[in-house]
Amino acid sequence: MNGIPQITAPELRQRIESGEELVLIDVREADEVALGMISGAAHIPMGDIPYRTSEIPEDAKVIFICRSGSRSQRVCEYLYAHGYSGVANLSGGMIEWNELPEN
């Protein structure tokens, strides 16, 4: 998808459980994140991204999350165009994440 790295929900869970240093940013709206977020994720609504880039590390692996993977993909494309090279999209978003079997 336009050269933006994609990560699946099972891959993300494995990377989190292995202790990998990741920055997770949920770009959904407040009413959506109120229903649940991935533990440790920061919340920056998609519309706020251009004004809050100072909160997004340029030298880290940053995974963006939304409901289905569409909005987070657009955020990744925007940031990539502005010099962020470590961005990745959670393909399938929270829909896929919430379908993972519980540990």
Side-chain angles (χ1 to χ4, degrees):
M1 291 185 158
N2 297 328
I4 301 296
Q6 304 292 308
I7 183 170
T8 66
E11 288 172 328
L12 179 57
R13 176 185 275 174
Q14 190 278 321
R15 289 171 71 176
I16 291 170
E17 289 175 351
S18 74
E20 187 173 341
E21 286 290 319
L22 300 170
V23 176
L24 307 176
I25 299 178
D26 195 317
V27 299
R28 297 176 296 157
E29 296 302 317
D31 60 328
E32 295 175 284
V33 298
L35 302 174
M37 290 175 60
I38 297 173
S39 179
H43 177 225
I44 304 177
M46 180 178 173
D48 292 355
I49 292 288
Y51 313 104
R52 295 176 64 184
T53 54
S54 64
E55 298 173 43
I56 303 167
E58 294 183 53
D59 57 349
K61 297 175 188 171
V62 185
I63 298 170
F64 289 88
I65 304 154
C66 71
R67 188 184 72 84
S68 68
S70 178
R71 284 175 284 177
S72 51
Q73 173 69 24
R74 291 199 304 271
V75 167
C76 287
E77 291 167 1
Y78 171 84
L79 291 169
Y80 189 80
H82 287 84
Y84 287 78
S85 60
V87 299
N89 181 45
L90 177 61
S91 61
M94 289 300 291
I95 293 172
E96 187 176 309
W97 180 265
N98 288 328
E99 290 175 354
L100 289 173
E102 294 297 321
N103 287 348

